Amino acid sequence: FCFFFFQAEDGIRDVERSRGLGDVYKRQGLRICYKMAGSGYDYDVSTLSPEGKIYQVEYAMKATENSSTIMGMVCKDGVLLGTEKLIVSEMMVSGSDRRVYSVTKQIGMVITGLLPDGRCLIDRAKEESASFQKQYGIPITGKVLADRIAQFMHMNTIYLWARPYGCNIIIAAFDEFGGPTLHLIDPSGQCFGYFGCAAGKGRQIARNEIEKLGAKNLTCKEAAFNMAKILHKCHEEMKEKKFELEMSWICPETGMTHQMLPKDMQKEMEIRAQETLEKEAMADVQSQIMKNINICLLYTSDAADDTPCVDLGGRRIIKKKK
């Protein structure tokens, strides 16, 4: 029999218990990687930084902040969802790049961020809805579905082997007890109910416009025009890039079920919204021009004889003494 003994290099072993020479070198490599990477608090979602942050969740939120704008509004007779999306190719089939989905007859969802992540959550929402219907015999409400999806997203922020979903979701629903409802869920699993909300690149502009609008006093048809206008306004920074709108509603016109806005109606509202924005832009330009106009007082020669100088449009001309 032959026995072979291996001895690790000096300084490699530490106080931690080793499972062999391979494990020793493996742990040494990990220590080197940690030193090269920096702080090491963003490798997984199970580690809190000294500032109390979970960097992986913040990275997921960053992915949603740089994506298309989505928004939702609760009106006096229903609820609206909408989004703007870039046309990445002229050869792409219209409607294949969907952002708005129906979960049940009375619940709709719109997503932004990483679209594959969003579609996974859409499938999860459909499973939750079917399970609730089978167990309790009644349709799931928007609040219950939002809570369940939020918990599911949150579970991906506490396990080492998972990563957060890089998308934001707005859930619009209608039920006989709660009426029209709207919920926004972010990658951390945080969920709140809103009368109007927005997410994505133009979220701040959209939120400001929703606050000014007061959609609670408008019908869905009136608010749909304003939503098209707001989404076009959010896209003004990227005018050179082509885009299209995708809008849906739950209102008396649809029998209180979630349906996409009719294409002819949406096209008409987009044209009106663009015309309104152009008129507002012209009015702003005119008001700015009027502010920059300065009225100059010109003195006549007779009036100038009484003073030692003449003011002509801001230039002071000193008269020669006789």
Side-chain angles (χ1 to χ4, degrees), residues 278-311:
E278 289 174 0
K279 290 179 182 178
E280 290 179 357
M282 287 295 297
D284 290 340
V285 170
Q286 291 176 357
S287 63
Q288 192 65 29
I289 291 173
M290 293 301 296
K291 286 181 181 178
N292 293 332
I293 293 177
N294 295 320
I295 300 174
C296 301
L297 180 63
L298 301 180
Y299 292 94
T300 61
S301 58
D302 295 337
D305 292 337
D306 300 332
T307 57
C309 62
V310 181
D311 189 2

Side-chain angles (χ1 to χ4, degrees), residues 68-72 80-86 92-102 109-112 115 119 224 227-228 231-232 243-249 258-263 266-267 270:
S68 302
T69 305
I70 61 173
M71 59 183 298
L80 281 168
L81 290 177
T83 180
E84 48 93 14
K85 53 185 182 180
L86 295 177
M92 187 174 67
V93 178
S94 178
S96 59
D97 183 25
R98 291 182 60 192
R99 310 290 175 90
V100 180
Y101 295 84
S102 291
M109 297 174 68
V110 60
I111 57 176
T112 186
L115 298 184
R119 285 193 288 268
M227 178 175 282
L231 290 171
H232 274 273
F243 72 102
E244 61 182 2
L245 301 186
E246 195 173 349
M247 300 170 63
S248 67
W249 57 1
H258 181 254
Q259 294 182 18
M260 301 300 295
L261 215 66
K263 290 186 178 180
Q266 181 175 319
K267 192 67 178 177
E270 286 189 53

Side-chain angles (χ1 to χ4, degrees), residues 46 55 59 116 152 207:
S46 63
Y55 286 113
Y59 297 158
F152 179 73
R207 288 171 185 170

Side-chain angles (χ1 to χ4, degrees), residues 84-200:
E84 48 93 14
K85 53 185 182 180
L86 295 177
I87 299 175
V88 296
S89 174
E90 295 291 342
M91 296 181 289
M92 187 174 67
V93 178
S94 178
S96 59
D97 183 25
R98 291 182 60 192
R99 310 290 175 90
V100 180
Y101 295 84
S102 291
V103 180
T104 66
K105 288 183 178 180
Q106 295 180 317
I107 298 178
M109 297 174 68
V110 60
I111 57 176
T112 186
L114 300 178
L115 298 184
D117 286 7
R119 285 193 288 268
C120 288
L121 293 172
I122 295 292
D123 291 340
R124 178 71 183 191
K126 291 179 179 179
E127 292 174 4
E128 291 287 350
S129 302
S131 174
F132 189 92
Q133 175 78 34
K134 183 178 180 181
Q135 184 173 2
Y136 297 104
I138 58 174
I140 193 170
T141 63
K143 184 179 185 306
V144 174
L145 180 62
D147 288 340
R148 291 192 175 191
I149 296 300
Q151 291 173 12
F152 179 73
M153 294 177 70
H154 177 66
M155 294 302 290
N156 274 40
T157 68
I158 60 177
Y159 290 115
L160 179 67
W161 46 265
R163 74 162 176 83
Y165 285 97
C167 61
N168 273 0
I169 295 177
I170 298 178
I171 300 177
F174 176 83
D175 63 85
E176 296 178 357
F177 305 102
T181 58
L182 196 68
H183 292 83
L184 173 64
I185 311 173
D186 65 19
S188 68
Q190 187 170 250
C191 175
F192 293 108
Y194 292 91
F195 294 117
C197 59

Side-chain angles (χ1 to χ4, degrees), residues 14-32:
D14 51 21
V15 294
E16 297 179 15
R17 187 172 180 178
S18 173
R19 294 189 296 271
L21 184 62
D23 183 62
V24 172
Y25 282 102
K26 183 179 178 181
R27 285 188 285 108
Q28 184 190 33
L30 284 173
R31 284 196 295 270
I32 294 171

